[in-house]
């Protein structure tokens, strides 16, 4: 360590502690917002020829904290991740301090055993009896690896020979995460060979449309191999009917993958796990612990029903210098990974789970589901708020609509008004909430991923939306 900076870590820890305390104060702004061209002037971005003093580094850190978005703030309701717990943060620090690669047991003995146990525990929740899996660089990456495993199982010759005459085709819903498009492109399948199956009015994949498309593709000489279902779609929070999709997968001999990056935690609750009924019939599952379980980014896993599949798809190379046949060879996770260097992401989730217990996650899920119902009721009961979609999970989709003369305002004007409400909150740093378009309708998309949110925060948010809507409507709707 550079001895010039011997106080840096102590002083940073103090700054961090203060920062974390401020996150919990509702009157604290979420962000000191500036557009990029202004922020550039407020920061010291230049990389100097000669090194800076400790005081300058601390000032850099302070500025970073000052102008960053406080995602742990209870008014941050914009994204599927949020802040994290002290235990998880401690885990992430230790991962950084001990800096090692989770590719071999020899350099990452503790992390490897923790990862193994986490994978086993997640597989138990799903109902995979044998089960395998690995921590990956995100839900997007997990979807890609699931596709790779499916390809390799279906056509083992691809690994050496490429696709040759094979014409793979796969099925997702029109609500699936955009990572599929990238995965399909990078794997050489081509986006034209991915079918976005129509979803129903609740945004769930329509099994009848799926079967019709599979039959059509078979008739056309294509080779269906994969159904990508989603449990908790990113925008609407919808759950595809896994039981039915599993039957279809079996009938046509297809791989069933379940992207549960967002919705997976319903499995913690007896009351809500019916949303994923049938998941045990899947071949693979995507799980993001950096979303609802609030581990610091990145903390994700791809889970496999059968052992050996992951290693068959991902292994290759490294035996000359890295993977030695010693007594711990079976614990070399690098053989199941596309990465060489791999961060120890298990420790933060491990510590968080130890600290909360499984009961902690269950309670967190159930109380968040209650908050979603509270929002639903408040929105439905309010004359100026209009629910656009019945929530199955923690995503609320709605609009502010002024009561008087609504019919005379066109949809565009209502949309502009709702965007203006969100923008005003962002400028003030009061609430961060996003918008989205579902089936052609633009609305406010509120997500309850943040376990610091309480009913009072939601009441304050809905009040603020109505207040801003009232204040902005005369200006926007008359223009
Ligand atoms: C967020 C999300 C992903 C992508 O996960 P990352 O960890 O952000 O890469 C994939 N699928 C669904 C359904 C998601 O909500």
């Amino acid at each position: 360590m550079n001895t010039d900076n011997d106080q840096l870590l102590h002083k940073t820890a103090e700054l961090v502690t203060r920062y974390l305390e401020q996150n919990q104060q509702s009157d604290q702004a979420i962000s000191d917002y500036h557009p990029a061209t202004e922020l550039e002037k407020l920061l010291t971005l230049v990389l100097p020829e000669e090194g800076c003093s400790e005081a300058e580094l601390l000032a850099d850190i302070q500025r970073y904290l000052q102008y960053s978005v406080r995602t742990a703030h209870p008014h941050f309701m914009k994204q599927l991740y949020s802040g994290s717990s002290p235990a998880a943060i401690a885990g992430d620090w230790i991962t950084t301090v001990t800096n090692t690669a989770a590719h071999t047991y020899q350099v990452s003995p503790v992390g490897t055993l923790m990862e193994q146990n986490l994978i086993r525990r997640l597989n138990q929740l799903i109902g995979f009896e044998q089960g395998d899996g690995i921590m990956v660089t995100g839900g997007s990456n997990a979807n890609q690896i699931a596709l790779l495993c499916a390809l390799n199982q279906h056509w083992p010759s691809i690994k050496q020979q490429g696709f040759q005459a094979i014409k793979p085709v796969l099925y997702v819903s029109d609500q699936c995460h955009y990572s599929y498009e990238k995965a399909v492109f990078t794997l050489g399948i081509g986006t034209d060979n991915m079918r976005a199956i129509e979803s129903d009015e609740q945004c769930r994949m329509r099994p009848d449309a799926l079967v019709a498309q599979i039959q059509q593709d078979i008739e056309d000489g294509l080779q269906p191999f994969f159904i990508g279902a989603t449990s908790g779609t990113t925008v609407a929070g919808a759950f595809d009917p896994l039981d039915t999709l599993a039957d279809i997968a079996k009938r046509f001999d297809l791989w069933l993958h379940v992207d549960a990056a967002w919705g997976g935690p319903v499995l913690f609750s007896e009351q809500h796990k019916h949303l994923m009924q049938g998941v045990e019939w899947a071949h693979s599952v995507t799980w993001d612990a950096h979303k609802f379980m609030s581990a610091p980014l990145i903390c994700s896993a791809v889970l496999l029903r059968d052992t050996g599949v992951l290693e068959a798809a991902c292994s290759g190379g490294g035996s000359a210098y890295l993977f030695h046949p010693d007594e711990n060879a079976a614990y070399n996770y690098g053989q199941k990974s596309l990465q060489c260097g791999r961060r120890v992401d298990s420790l933060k989730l491990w510590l968080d789970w130890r600290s909360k217990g499984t009961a902690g996650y269950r309670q967190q899920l159930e109380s968040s589901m209650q908050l979603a119902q509270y929002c639903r009721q408040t929105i439905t009961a309010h004359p100026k708020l209009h629910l656009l979609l019945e929530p199955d999970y923690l995503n609320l989709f709605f609009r502010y609509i002024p009561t008087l003369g609504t019919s005379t305002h066109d949809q565009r004007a209502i949309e502009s008004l709702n965007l203006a409400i969100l923008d005003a909150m962002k400028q003030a740093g009061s609430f961060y909430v996003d918008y989205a378009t579902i089936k052609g309708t633009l609305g406010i998309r509120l997500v309850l991923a943040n376990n610091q949110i309480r009913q009072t925060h939601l009441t304050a948010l809905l009040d603020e939306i109505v207040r801003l809507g009232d204040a902005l409507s005369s200006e926007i709707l008359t223009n």
Side-chain angles (χ1 to χ4, degrees), residues 49-219:
E49 178 64 22
E50 303 296 331
C52 295
S53 69
E54 184 175 289
E56 286 172 285
L57 296 182
L58 284 165
D60 287 341
I61 292 169
Q62 257 167 324
R63 275 190 293 269
Y64 187 95
L65 293 175
Q66 180 180 348
Y67 296 113
S68 289
V69 175
R70 293 175 179 271
T71 62
H73 193 294
H75 289 180
F76 182 82
M77 309 169 184
K78 179 181 169 72
Q79 239 92 66
L80 300 185
Y81 58 84
S82 62
S84 53
S85 72
I89 292 170
D92 215 32
W93 279 348
I94 300 299
T95 287
T96 300
V97 168
T98 51
N99 191 40
T100 194
H103 50 26
T104 62
Y105 177 84
Q106 194 167 21
V107 293
S108 181
V110 193
T112 298
L113 294 177
M114 285 176 172
E115 180 165 356
Q116 186 183 50
N117 221 61
L118 278 173
I119 296 290
R120 197 180 289 148
R121 194 68 190 80
L122 292 172
N123 278 330
Q124 273 170 6
L125 279 174
I126 288 165
F128 287 168
E129 281 169 17
Q130 303 279 317
D132 199 355
I134 191 163
M135 300 191 79
V136 294
T137 61
S140 305
N141 184 229
N143 287 343
Q144 183 178 17
I145 291 175
L147 267 170
L148 182 71
C149 289
L151 276 179
N152 193 53
Q153 284 300 107
H154 222 85
W155 297 288
S157 65
I158 287 180
K159 204 169 181 177
Q160 278 86 34
Q161 296 161 13
F163 287 105
Q164 297 201 319
I166 297 167
K167 293 180 183 164
V169 57
L170 66 130
Y171 306 85
V172 290
S173 87
D174 58 14
Q175 301 292 316
C176 79
H177 190 258
Y178 69 91
S179 54
Y180 273 109
E181 219 167 295
K182 301 184 187 213
V184 163
F185 168 44
T186 51
L187 290 170
I189 296 170
T191 50
D192 282 354
N193 298 311
M194 179 170 93
R195 307 276 181 257
I197 302 298
E198 195 188 330
S199 56
D200 64 17
E201 74 287 350
Q202 278 294 104
C203 294
R204 297 176 286 227
M205 195 194 294
R206 279 182 42 195
D208 56 334
L210 172 64
V211 170
Q213 184 66 54
I214 294 171
Q215 284 168 333
Q216 180 65 54
D217 287 331
I218 293 172
E219 253 174 58

Side-chain angles (χ1 to χ4, degrees), residues 405-427:
T406 305
S407 56
T408 62
H409 304 305
D410 67 19
Q411 291 298 312
R412 277 286 157 72
I414 300 276
E415 290 180 356
S416 306
L417 175 58
N418 278 272
L419 292 180
I421 293 170
L422 298 180
D423 193 55
M425 296 196 297
K426 179 186 82 178
Q427 299 281 348

Side-chain angles (χ1 to χ4, degrees), residues 125-128 229 231 240-247 249 256-258 267 273-285 305:
L125 279 174
I126 288 165
F128 287 168
S231 289
D240 288 338
L242 301 183
D243 256 343
T244 314
L245 298 183
D247 286 342
L256 177 63
H257 176 66
V258 176
L267 293 177
K273 70 181 196 186
H274 66 90
L275 289 165
M276 287 182 67
Q277 194 175 316
V279 66
E280 67 276 16
W281 301 110
H283 296 80
S284 54
V285 174
R305 187 183 71 192

Side-chain angles (χ1 to χ4, degrees), residues 80 138-141 143 177 179 230 232-234 259 261-262 288 290-291 300:
L80 300 185
S140 305
N141 184 229
N143 287 343
H177 190 258
S179 54
T230 307
T233 58
T234 311
D259 178 355
W262 170 225
D288 264 2
H290 62 231
K291 287 187 171 166
S300 302

